[in-house]
Amino acid sequence: MGPGESKLLETTLNAVLLNPQGYVGCISDDKIIEIITIIGKKIPNGKDKDILREFYNYKTNKPHNFSFPNKGIVRNILIFLMKASGYNEIIKMHEKLSVPNKEITLMIWGAFMGFSNLPKTLTNSIFTDQKKDSINSIDQYLFESVINQK
């Protein structure tokens, strides 16, 4: 992932954390449009911004030339924006479009939904014994980087 893609992902996560769903239920297009708007205001002009602008036009029923891109992290972000309603829909779209790194999309979706609203099948896979090292590294990062900075 290049620096531009890292910045796009960071901007997306910040936009999602500012506008979380926070409950299980119908996800409004207005909330998704607000997230797109925040991202669009924060990222520089370029290909990713053009793609998100066309998707925004599509979501707001304006004339558009939206087509799903062939590469880049913007694909993961678009899958989240298109399928924010559920884990299974995200997985199916990743498979259908052969988009790699579904973990990135699920990370965005998880931030949007909130931990308590994640399906048990997903949380069980995170907390298996095989992933113990991952959990320890997450705990260490949160303790050292986040908690100690307060």
Side-chain angles (χ1 to χ4, degrees):
M1 183 180 329
E5 287 188 319
S6 294
K7 183 65 177 167
L8 177 59
L9 180 57
E10 178 184 343
T11 302
T12 301
L13 284 170
N14 286 333
V16 166
L17 291 170
L18 286 171
N19 292 284
Q21 175 70 2
Y23 62 89
V24 177
C26 185
I27 297 169
S28 74
D29 276 347
D30 291 341
K31 188 171 280 283
I32 297 300
I33 290 167
E34 179 64 23
I35 291 169
I36 298 166
T37 301
I38 292 169
I39 297 168
K41 288 179 180 177
K42 302 277 184 181
I43 62 173
N45 289 332
K47 189 175 182 180
D48 291 336
K49 188 168 190 160
D50 292 342
I51 291 167
L52 288 170
R53 183 180 295 119
E54 289 301 322
F55 183 68
Y56 174 88
N57 289 340
Y58 164 76
K59 289 295 279 183
T60 56
N61 297 316
K62 295 179 182 173
H64 64 86
N65 291 316
F66 177 73
S67 63
F68 200 82
N70 294 327
K71 61 182 181 175
I73 195 121
V74 71
R75 297 188 308 162
N76 299 83
I77 294 165
L78 287 169
I79 290 175
F80 160 72
L81 294 170
M82 292 174 172
K83 300 297 181 180
S85 60
Y87 173 82
N88 290 331
E89 290 82 8
I90 289 171
I91 299 300
K92 286 177 188 174
M93 190 161 192
H94 265 274
E95 291 170 356
K96 179 180 176 185
L97 299 173
S98 300
V99 175
N101 303 318
K102 67 181 173 233
E103 296 84 5
I104 293 172
T105 309
L106 292 172
M107 175 181 60
I108 299 166
W109 178 71
F112 178 67
M113 293 303 293
F115 185 80
S116 64
N117 293 320
L118 297 178
K120 189 172 181 174
T121 53
L122 177 61
T123 56
N124 281 348
S125 70
I126 293 170
F127 294 110
T128 62
D129 287 338
Q130 297 169 343
K131 310 254 177 151
K132 191 172 183 172
D133 290 337
S134 299
I135 294 169
N136 289 337
S137 66
I138 291 168
D139 284 345
Q140 183 177 0
Y141 169 78
L142 289 173
F143 182 74
E144 292 175 1
S145 302
V146 179
I147 296 173
N148 283 337
Q149 288 182 2
K150 291 185 175 187

